[in-house]
């Protein structure tokens, strides 16, 4: 018999999340049935989407999220004992999975990562990597020499988007919130950066992209996105991944963007990465190859201890992470 620890959504979010929103509880893990496997968490992901998606769940629900873990028991030949798998089972230390009951975000065994850390399965070599890969390439359809702007650029997805854009021959400008983050973006190949907390985005963007912006990968929404859209070229493309600037606060009022969309004939599209579930391992395989070839760099902010899941989440929502925010059990 196994006893699992899990974090539940204990109190509705109001503005920024706090420790009071979470409660750590224990429960007995049920015995396996045919077709199921049991996974012990090793690395858990904390991501901005959890803040907004959780609002649709009642209190008492296990906090949502994905994790990389080791299969410790199995009645499913596709998940042998000892293998490492990714599963969307929430903030839990031990979980029972029946792959047939997942409509989307189905669990899967990780490919051979060689000498790379298993934590990448919860980041660059998983949902995060595919979000960058498909969300940018399929929607923005970048061309060589185009100007690409990425907001939230030092985060898990944004940092990969910018590097993928460079691999496609683009000029890339990243927007982040600290000088340290901006320096790291330059270190991984971004052509220019803007510290939105200390610099005037409109003025600096005009200097960095005097002829305008072709593609914008939007992680933040709000006034930052309003400013960037005003400087886009005709027929510019916008991929909307998230609106984190509005997740934890009162709605931000922005100028009606319709005039720019009509006059410049812009195209904007939001997406969920699970649109490309049937091509999932295409993205992982390509990103893995780029990492091994030294063409794509990653960074992780790792918090030690399952008991610190809420702290890691709160810190990530405040922008405390560089690259992917991960909790190591």
């Amino acid at each position: 018999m196994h006893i699992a620890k899990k974090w539940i959504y204990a109190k509705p979010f109001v503005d920024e999340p706090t420790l009071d929103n979470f409660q750590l509880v224990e429960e007995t893990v049920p015995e396996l049935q045919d077709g199921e496997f049991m996974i012990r968490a090793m690395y858990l992901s904390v991501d901005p989407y959890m803040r907004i998606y959780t609002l649709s769940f009642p209190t008492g629900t296990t906090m949502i999220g994905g994790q990389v873990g080791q299969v410790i028991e199995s009645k499913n030949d596709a998940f042998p004992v000892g293998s490492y798998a990714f599963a969307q089972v929430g903030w839990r230390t031990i979980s029972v999975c029946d792959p047939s009951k997942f409509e989307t975000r189905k669990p899967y065994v990780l490919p051979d990562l060689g000498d790379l850390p298993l934590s990448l399965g919860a980041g660059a070599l998983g949902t995060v990597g595919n979000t960058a890969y498909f969300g940018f390439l399929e929607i923005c359809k970048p061309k060589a020499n185009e100007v690409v702007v990425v907001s939230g650029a030092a985060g898990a997805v944004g940092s990969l988007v910018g590097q993928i854009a460079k691999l496609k021959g683009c000029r890339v400008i990243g927007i982040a919130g600290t000088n340290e983050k901006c320096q790291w973006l330059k270190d991984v190949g971004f052509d220019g950066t803007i510290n939105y907390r200390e610099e005037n985005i409109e003025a600096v963007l005009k200097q960095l992209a005097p002829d305008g912006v072709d593609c914008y990968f939007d992680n933040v929404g709000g006034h930052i996105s309003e400013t960037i859209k005003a400087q886009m070229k005709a027929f510019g493309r916008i991929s909307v991944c998230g609106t984190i600037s509005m997740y934890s606060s009162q709605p931000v009022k922005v100028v009606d963007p319709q005039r720019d969309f009509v006059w410049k004939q812009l195209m904007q599209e939001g997406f969920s990465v699970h649109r490309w579930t049937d091509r999932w391992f295409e993205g992982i395989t390509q990103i893995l190859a780029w990492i091994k070839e030294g063409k794509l760099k990653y960074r992780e902010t790792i918090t030690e201890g399952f008991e610190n899941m809420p702290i890691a989440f709160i810190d990530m929502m405040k922008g405390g992470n560089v690259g992917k925010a991960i909790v190591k059990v």
Side-chain angles (χ1 to χ4, degrees):
M1 181 179 71
H2 296 277
I3 303 297
K5 294 180 179 180
K6 68 176 184 178
W7 284 99
I8 63 172
Y9 177 48
K11 181 180 178 182
F13 293 127
V14 178
D15 296 326
E16 298 289 346
T18 69
L19 294 178
D20 290 338
N21 294 122
F22 311 94
Q23 182 182 353
L24 184 62
V25 299
E26 294 185 348
E27 67 178 15
T28 301
V29 180
E31 298 294 324
L32 287 187
Q33 304 298 313
D34 288 342
E36 296 178 339
F37 68 93
M38 189 179 298
I39 184 173
R40 186 191 302 277
M42 299 174 65
Y43 297 96
L44 295 100
S45 178
V46 288
D47 302 283
Y49 78 84
M50 297 173 181
R51 168 63 176 80
I52 197 72
Y53 278 36
T54 303
L55 293 176
S56 63
F57 292 98
T59 55
T61 302
T62 303
M63 279 295 298
I64 59 175
Q67 61 174 254
V68 169
Q70 187 169 35
V71 178
I72 57 174
E73 294 183 21
S74 183
K75 291 187 177 182
N76 186 317
D77 292 340
F79 295 86
V81 172
S83 63
Y84 300 103
F86 178 84
Q88 289 278 356
V89 290
W91 295 11
R92 300 173 52 90
T93 55
I94 301 176
S95 306
V96 171
C97 299
D98 181 347
S100 68
K101 294 182 179 178
F102 288 74
E103 294 184 8
T104 60
R105 307 185 183 189
K106 290 182 179 294
Y108 55 87
V109 172
L110 297 184
D112 182 6
L113 303 186
D115 295 331
L116 295 171
L118 287 171
S119 55
L120 288 181
L125 298 176
T127 301
V128 164
N130 278 347
T131 297
Y133 180 84
F134 291 112
F136 176 59
L137 295 179
E138 294 293 321
I139 294 177
C140 286
K141 300 186 184 302
K143 303 178 183 66
N145 300 315
E146 289 191 321
V147 175
V148 175
V149 173
V150 184
S151 58
V157 173
S159 59
L160 297 180
V161 168
Q163 293 180 78
I164 292 171
K166 289 298 298 179
L167 290 172
K168 298 300 178 180
C170 300
R171 175 174 170 78
V172 184
I173 300 165
I175 300 176
T178 69
N179 291 331
E180 176 201 1
K181 290 180 178 181
C182 287
Q183 183 57 55
W184 179 65
L185 294 176
K186 292 175 182 177
D187 292 343
V188 299
F190 281 62
D191 297 287
T193 61
I194 303 173
N195 182 338
Y196 71 86
R197 288 195 173 103
E198 296 185 3
E199 298 180 284
N200 182 298
I201 298 173
E202 180 180 9
V204 178
L205 185 57
K206 285 181 179 178
Q207 293 174 1
L208 294 174
D211 296 324
V213 175
D214 297 285
C215 301
Y216 173 40
F217 193 89
D218 186 2
N219 282 306
V220 303
H223 292 304
I224 290 176
S225 294
E226 176 187 15
T227 301
I228 295 164
K229 291 172 185 177
Q231 296 194 34
M232 294 194 72
K233 297 180 184 178
F235 304 104
R237 289 90 70 200
I238 304 164
S239 178
V240 181
C241 180
T243 55
I244 191 172
S245 70
M246 296 182 279
Y247 285 173
S248 298
S249 61
Q250 297 298 317
V252 176
K253 293 183 179 180
V254 297
V255 174
D256 184 353
Q258 295 302 96
R259 187 180 68 174
D260 280 331
F261 272 85
V262 174
W263 287 8
K264 297 180 180 179
Q265 302 183 71
L266 304 179
M267 292 190 299
Q268 175 172 291
E269 185 174 346
F271 71 94
S272 166
V273 68
H274 298 285
R275 179 193 308 184
W276 297 284
T277 296
D278 60 335
R279 297 170 57 189
W280 199 255
F281 286 97
E282 171 193 330
I284 291 175
T285 300
Q286 180 59 81
I287 292 173
L288 178 58
W290 281 334
I291 290 175
K292 288 184 174 180
E293 293 165 3
K295 296 178 179 179
L296 192 154
K297 298 179 175 62
Y298 64 88
R299 187 161 165 182
E300 298 174 317
T301 298
I302 296 181
T303 300
E304 297 274 352
F306 182 75
E307 68 278 5
N308 291 320
M309 287 288 300
I311 293 173
F313 177 70
I314 291 168
D315 186 60
M316 178 273 305
M317 289 298 298
K318 293 179 178 179
N321 61 298
V322 180
K324 182 73 190 81
I326 297 283
V327 174
K328 181 180 180 181
V329 177

